Amino acid sequence: MKVGILGATGYTGIELIRILSKHANAKISYLSSKHFESQLISEVYPGLSGFCDEILEGDDFNKVVAICDIIFSTLPHELTFEIGKMVIDAGKKLIDLGPAFRFDDFNVFKKWYGSNGDIEYDKFNKVYGLTELNRKKIKNAQIVGNPGCYPTSVILALAPVLKNRVVVDKNIIIDSKSGVSGAGHEPKFSNLYSECNENTKPYNVAQHRHIPEIEQELSKIMEQDVKVVFTPHLVPMTRGILSTIYCNLESGITLKDVYDLYQEFYKNDYFIKILKPGKYPSTKSVTGSNFCQIGFEIDERTNTLIILSAIDNLMKGASGQAVQNMNLMFELPENKGLDIIRIFP
Amino acid sequence: MKVGILGATGYTGIELIRILSKHANAKISYLSSKHFESQLISEVYPGLSGFCDEILEGDDFNKVVAICDIIFSTLPHELTFEIGKMVIDAGKKLIDLGPAFRFDDFNVFKKWYGSNGDIEYDKFNKVYGLTELNRKKIKNAQIVGNPGCYPTSVILALAPVLKNRVVVDKNIIIDSKSGVSGAGHEPKFSNLYSECNENTKPYNVAQHRHIPEIEQELSKIMEQDVKVVFTPHLVPMTRGILSTIYCNLESGITLKDVYDLYQEFYKNDYFIKILKPGKYPSTKSVTGSNFCQIGFEIDERTNTLIILSAIDNLMKGASGQAVQNMNLMFELPENKGLDIIRIFP
Amino acid sequence: MKVGILGATGYTGIELIRILSKHANAKISYLSSKHFESQLISEVYPGLSGFCDEILEGDDFNKVVAICDIIFSTLPHELTFEIGKMVIDAGKKLIDLGPAFRFDDFNVFKKWYGSNGDIEYDKFNKVYGLTELNRKKIKNAQIVGNPGCYPTSVILALAPVLKNRVVVDKNIIIDSKSGVSGAGHEPKFSNLYSECNENTKPYNVAQHRHIPEIEQELSKIMEQDVKVVFTPHLVPMTRGILSTIYCNLESGITLKDVYDLYQEFYKNDYFIKILKPGKYPSTKSVTGSNFCQIGFEIDERTNTLIILSAIDNLMKGASGQAVQNMNLMFELPENKGLDIIRIFP
Amino acid sequence: MKVGILGATGYTGIELIRILSKHANAKISYLSSKHFESQLISEVYPGLSGFCDEILEGDDFNKVVAICDIIFSTLPHELTFEIGKMVIDAGKKLIDLGPAFRFDDFNVFKKWYGSNGDIEYDKFNKVYGLTELNRKKIKNAQIVGNPGCYPTSVILALAPVLKNRVVVDKNIIIDSKSGVSGAGHEPKFSNLYSECNENTKPYNVAQHRHIPEIEQELSKIMEQDVKVVFTPHLVPMTRGILSTIYCNLESGITLKDVYDLYQEFYKNDYFIKILKPGKYPSTKSVTGSNFCQIGFEIDERTNTLIILSAIDNLMKGASGQAVQNMNLMFELPENKGLDIIRIFP
């Protein structure tokens, strides 16, 4: 099947190339780049030489839709809506790694992303692409709104306890730590090596755009309105997200109960690794892989459940999950091309 | 005044030397080291050459007590109790950077630190050395239990709102991120470069020994029993602690109210920097200095106050605060020898 | 084919497991560990869970030789000589990642490695395992002395110009920069995070044990006695070696000549990437992969050829090359199980 | 004395502020910034709060010359020539941290820096500001061309052996490793955290603009034309330069001879630290300080002298040396305000 990537030279773009170059069923057939148009991708990223030597083209939507069976987009949302319409019309498929298609309610998108225009948002045959929770819908969708990196780490960690109502819906605190690649490939002061190295810093406290995405999905899981407090932090590493989540536990629940509940909930999910009591996730245990590690602890003194989850933000948090969704959409085994062991140390 | 450092080659020991070598009123007169006995400190740490070229001796308690006016100890608690008694008897002063003298109730110490023996704990003329909160007692103490690094970052951040009861005493969540120097100078697998680099990992979740210390002090401030949830994390940097603290706000409090309250509370404290609304602390803003940056945000959707504090774990979190206490104990200006600007980038 | 790894929990050991777990022709059948005997490898390294869940055994040489077709050893040389004899007798195969079998002359080994004993060194059917240069011999060897990380980066970089005698044999200067994983998994002061982070430091200047290995192979290539100056440095990263090599160029050679010569020399070598003039290698371009990038520049003002080479020290510099050699020894395609794209960023 | 800094928000600018805020004889009286004009410096860099709270102005040359006794400039060379003229006319002093005033021959400057215009270069009363080698001239200069970071680390390391002619003038190889802050504060792809972290990469091989500066000064020291091969590398750390220098030693020279020669040469230089044989410099040993560590080794097998030097690129390599020069120009002790111990770990 022929694959196109719009915005191929950002970090999620080249991670898609890393995966898809070795995917037996995919053939990379179109790559676009604003910054590096008309260069070879393997000149911009010499480590891809021999694996992917395509030329980088401009954003020619007609061409990519004509050529490709499936398109991955990392473009700004205005352009994504445009390519979305063309994909629908042409009967092709689109996985968007941006926020454009993640929402049920267009007003929520407009409020948090400052968009003014109006579009027929409901007419897109689209689905929120958190694979483990939405498999059936993803299989039949034309457009997948691939989840944000933080929401992936958070929703996977909370789904079992919210679904089973072993925690209270109040006071859910999410404290996330992300590597700097999550801030993207754009040159700006705050992403410079000398600013980030040896530095831990919070940002967008209680205001991050991933909040509505998290709350939308958690509310559906719990079948009631869920609110969360969310603080993202940048830590000095390239890849990885660790989310530490605090909830008030219903009374009488033991650590063993929680462990069993997670094991049961994710028993058929290849990419979810539930850690035994006493073991905690770490970002380095998943670097370069599509796995999500989940562990927990109960603070009995306060009856608080502390859930810990680790993903590679560019893999399960972006490009890896996108390919996982592609596999579903084309009826391939979910881990096809994704059965990659973490790199350690 | 003559100063001795027991355990001078660990990270807090050499940080004491960095400060005290340039302190106009202090003369380093005794240094001990188990690992490097009989070497020059400036051979072990060549960057100290010209500033401190003392020989490293063994732990000769009689000698150090005889020679020195004030002793800093980074030794294990069994040895610290011993030197504590000798200091009391000799009418000298001791600042202990370990946990031995931080507790009001010896049973709490024994429970969390696994100590079996029994000592006349109450007979020590000792005080918990969080400078900003205990100035008067520190001035008159013979022994100071210098606070732990996490407790310093947490108690300073919470004191104003607990004292003024603008937050509820329930559901206080503390999520701390520490550089690796906090784990000490001992060679072990978990401190190796290749294990820590590119890795964020929680540890001792809800079980860290700094919990009783935090709760003891917060309970005194609020004049009621306070319990906290505390999760420490290691992030890949050498120095710095960022603590992110979540509390339920009493109703009707604005961000401006909170800011004013902190400004007022710390108006006479040289080392506390309250950030204006919209600005957040970062560890790099305090690296190498004795300052504590405190900022905050209110999540109005959940009425949660998020307090953020940043310190250098080896300075305000250990050796810097120890010297600040020494200054108090000898009636010197509190910032004597500590008026050091952070290093950036 | 059944594979054993002696010393499986060091960094080269777990890198072997990362590769071999996904190698279609290999079945990991024996793992040993001194530190973690009787634990599951996936408990020690949770990221291996699902890929390799073997139990770690002791160093039972009889058992491993009986069970396995090929054994990888990361043990100290005394033990390696022992297992070497047993492998020869049993008609099995051994790839040693230590120095024991890298030398033509046992006296050289004894001089640089401080060994006292005497063994019948010449009776081992062994070969130096720099794959690209020794393919035929490796195919027929029972024992491969897998090259050191620095020698791999250096010999590959110098072979074409020495073989073709376009550089003078005098004044060959090698300045190498290595990530800290090259220093191994043992806990010692010099490998601690806080010692290595934000630090660049030379070590073993002009005295490193890789010197005789480099000179032995370069001398054979040039068919005359070659001496080199070699300075290794530790830089604050986990993986990667960059070697910068300076030689006096014979007169009349252009950058184009040099490029053509390298292209021709390595035209059939999958894992060697010759960069076009104007492009330089970087360690991140090969992280996690078995590739060696080679680039160069001529300083016309001094007629100096500067050769630059980059490898991942744990892959082409150790475990990757070991598997490449295994593939040769078992008549498999050389890149079987090794066709891994670098991870970036 | 009143001090102005033109270009105060780059890394060398804020490092000047770090030093000068605590300098007893200096009063910061003018700060300019293109990016952050009209903000407070302590808003842009909150760690300066309380130490320097000046407003950032535009580049008003008339004003800064009128107000200040001495001006530090980090501006592009066109602007520096302009301010240079005004400083000369007004009888004030200027220390330029860029390349504009480092050269004896304007044609060399024009060739390497691509400048087209023509100016009366010889009319400036200027001197190359490598303090240890040019003290007398610096004392009497109006304009100091403050040395580049690499040249400082290299010239200090080579001066004793070239002056005393114990090395041959041919085949001087300089291999330097720099932290990323040396690449400046401008946002560009190559300075991004995710590009630099876990990466070692050479750049401008044999073409770096610091070459003519190094050769100019070495030729004067040796009183003959000296050519060098110079390769700079970026390593993943914020601060520090380590230069590894290779020279052919004249025969009969021992390591002891070399050590004695350096000790003698620098016996009156506070900031130069000669390490005993067997000890090597490391960047972390000088971080945040104005010291230069120099060590060496002889490779007897090839009669090569390997000289190693470490500086903090922002201190002795830029702002520290600039203040050292200022002290000289105003007849203050050379280490006034610079007697800062390295920060470790």
Side-chain angles (χ1 to χ4, degrees), chain A residues 104 128 130 133 150-165 167-169 172-174 210-230 245-247 266 307:
Chain A
D104 297 332
Y128 185 74
L130 194 59
L133 303 183
Y150 289 121
T152 297
S153 77
V154 169
I155 300 166
L156 288 172
L158 277 168
V161 285
L162 292 187
K163 185 79 180 176
N164 288 280
R165 293 176 168 270
V167 299
V168 184
D169 66 320
I172 298 178
I173 307 284
I174 302 161
H210 284 171
I211 292 173
E213 187 182 333
I214 292 169
E215 292 184 343
Q216 166 184 289
E217 296 304 307
L218 297 185
S219 297
K220 284 192 280 188
I221 290 165
M222 207 174 185
E223 292 172 29
Q224 72 184 64
D225 194 41
V226 175
K227 293 249 167 297
V228 300
V229 177
F230 175 58
I245 305 171
Y246 303 85
C247 329
Y266 287 121
I307 316 168

Side-chain angles (χ1 to χ4, degrees), chain B residues 165-235:
Chain B
R165 294 178 166 268
V166 303
V167 300
V168 184
D169 66 321
K170 285 250 166 9
N171 293 310
I172 298 178
I173 307 285
I174 302 161
D175 189 292
S176 293
K177 299 91 184 161
S178 174
V180 181
S181 66
H185 190 230
E186 288 305 308
K188 38 184 179 171
F189 282 124
S190 58
N191 290 357
L192 290 178
Y193 182 85
S194 302
E195 309 288 317
C196 297
N197 186 38
E198 280 289 291
N199 202 2
T200 294
K201 50 183 176 182
Y203 68 104
N204 291 355
V205 180
Q207 293 157 23
H208 195 280
R209 288 166 163 184
H210 284 170
I211 291 173
E213 187 180 334
I214 292 170
E215 291 184 342
Q216 167 184 289
E217 295 304 308
L218 297 185
S219 298
K220 284 191 281 187
I221 290 165
M222 206 173 184
E223 292 171 29
Q224 72 184 65
D225 194 40
V226 175
K227 293 250 168 294
V228 300
V229 177
F230 175 56
T231 309
H233 303 75
L234 275 193
V235 299

Side-chain angles (χ1 to χ4, degrees), chain A residues 17 19 36 44 62 97 118 129 160 181 191 263 286 288 305 326 332:
Chain A
I17 296 172
I19 304 166
F36 303 101
V44 181
N62 287 311
L97 287 91
D118 232 335
S181 65
N191 290 357
Q263 279 286 60
V286 296
L305 175 66
M326 180 194 79
L332 298 167

Side-chain angles (χ1 to χ4, degrees), chain A residues 175 198 215 238 284 301, chain B residues 175 197-198 215 238 246 301:
Chain A
D175 189 290
E198 279 289 291
E215 292 184 343
T238 302
K284 211 176 176 76
R301 301 159 55 261
Chain B
D175 189 292
N197 186 38
E198 280 289 291
E215 291 184 342
T238 302
Y246 303 85
R301 303 158 53 263

Side-chain angles (χ1 to χ4, degrees), chain B residues 6-20:
Chain B
L6 300 173
T9 54
Y11 293 142
T12 53
I14 56 168
E15 189 73 347
L16 282 168
I17 296 172
R18 184 173 78 100
I19 304 166
L20 293 170

Side-chain angles (χ1 to χ4, degrees), chain B residues 12-51:
Chain B
T12 53
I14 56 168
E15 189 73 347
L16 282 168
I17 296 172
R18 184 173 78 100
I19 304 166
L20 293 170
S21 304
K22 303 290 299 173
H23 193 295
N25 305 79
K27 180 170 164 35
I28 294 174
S29 308
Y30 193 93
L31 299 177
S32 82
S33 168
K34 200 174 64 180
H35 280 293
F36 304 100
E37 188 178 341
S38 83
Q39 294 185 49
L40 294 186
I41 182 75
S42 52
E43 278 172 1
V44 181
Y45 293 105
L48 291 174
S49 161
F51 293 100

